[in-house]
Amino acid sequence: MTGRPQETEAAPYYFTYINQVTGDDAAGIVESQLEESLAFFAGISEEKSQYRYSPEKWSIRQVLNHITDTERAFAFRALWFARGFQAPLPGIDQNIAASGAGADSVAWAGHIEEFRRVRLSTISLFRNMPPESWTRSGIASDNPFTVRALAYIIAGHVTHHVAILRERYLRKG
C-alpha cells in the first residue's frame, strides 16, 4: 500500500494518467496490468499492428513502442528519486523518441515481448522499493514528482493508450 498521490506530487497534466487508475497500491496495480495488457496486445495481428487511423498518426507498433519507452523513462525517474538523487532530470520529447525508434521495422511480437520485459523490470523495481522511498521526490521535465506519482503515471499511461487503441485503431464499425 503506497497511497494515492496528492495534487502536489505531480504537475496537473500528469493527473490525466493518475486519475485513470483506481486503488491505492501502485506496485500492485502495475503488476496486475501485465497479463491483461499482454492479452490485449496479443489479440492484434502482425498486419493490423501497422495500421494508422490517419496518415499523420502513429501506427499501432509506434504506440506500443511509445508506451514501452515512456515506461522505461518514468521507471528510471522513479529509481533516481527513490535512491535519493537530487539532480533534476531532463524532459523527454516523445516525437524525437518515436522517430529514432524505427518501430515499424520491428515485428509486432518483438514489441509485445519488449513491453513484457520492461514491465517485469518495473514490477521488480516497485516490489523491492523500501516503504520510505514511495514519498521521495525530485524534478524531471521541470516538474515535481514523487515516486508513487510516477508509479501511478506508468499505470495510467498504459490505460490511456490502450483506450486510444480500442477507440481509434481497433473500433469495428
Side-chain angles (χ1 to χ4, degrees):
M1 296 281 235
T2 57
R4 293 191 62 80
Q6 302 300 308
E7 291 179 14
T8 58
E9 295 183 44
Y13 167 81
Y14 292 98
F15 281 84
T16 301
Y17 305 120
I18 292 168
N19 290 337
Q20 293 197 37
V21 179
T22 59
D24 62 357
D25 177 13
I29 293 162
V30 168
E31 190 166 353
S32 71
Q33 281 184 326
L34 180 60
E35 291 307 316
E36 181 181 328
S37 298
L38 290 175
F40 171 74
F41 296 135
I44 299 170
S45 70
E46 181 77 18
E47 181 182 356
K48 184 67 174 181
S49 73
Q50 297 172 346
Y51 175 74
R52 299 167 192 267
Y53 69 88
S54 181
E56 73 280 0
K57 295 298 182 180
W58 289 344
S59 68
I60 293 174
R61 289 182 192 193
Q62 288 174 304
V63 172
L64 182 50
N65 184 81
H66 164 73
I67 291 169
T68 303
D69 278 357
T70 300
E71 181 152 333
R72 273 190 180 104
F74 279 75
F76 174 75
R77 289 174 175 183
L79 170 71
W80 187 258
F81 302 148
R83 299 301 192 255
F85 292 102
Q86 296 298 310
L89 295 172
I92 300 156
D93 184 317
Q94 67 183 13
N95 294 313
I96 292 171
S99 69
D104 284 334
S105 65
V106 175
W108 181 237
H111 281 291
I112 295 170
E113 179 61 13
E114 184 176 8
F115 171 79
R116 185 184 75 80
R117 289 173 185 245
V118 169
R119 179 50 62 102
L120 287 171
S121 175
T122 302
I123 289 167
S124 291
L125 172 67
F126 291 152
R127 245 193 223 152
N128 297 313
M129 188 80 60
E132 65 275 11
S133 295
W134 288 101
T135 55
R136 290 188 182 140
S137 63
I139 303 294
S141 301
D142 298 321
N143 291 297
F145 292 94
T146 62
V147 172
R148 75 176 166 191
L150 290 164
Y152 274 85
I153 292 165
I154 288 169
H157 187 254
V158 170
T159 301
H160 169 77
H161 282 291
V162 165
I164 289 173
L165 288 171
R166 287 184 197 281
E167 294 165 14
R168 298 183 189 163
Y169 289 80
L170 304 172
R171 179 178 29 175
K172 308 270 192 268

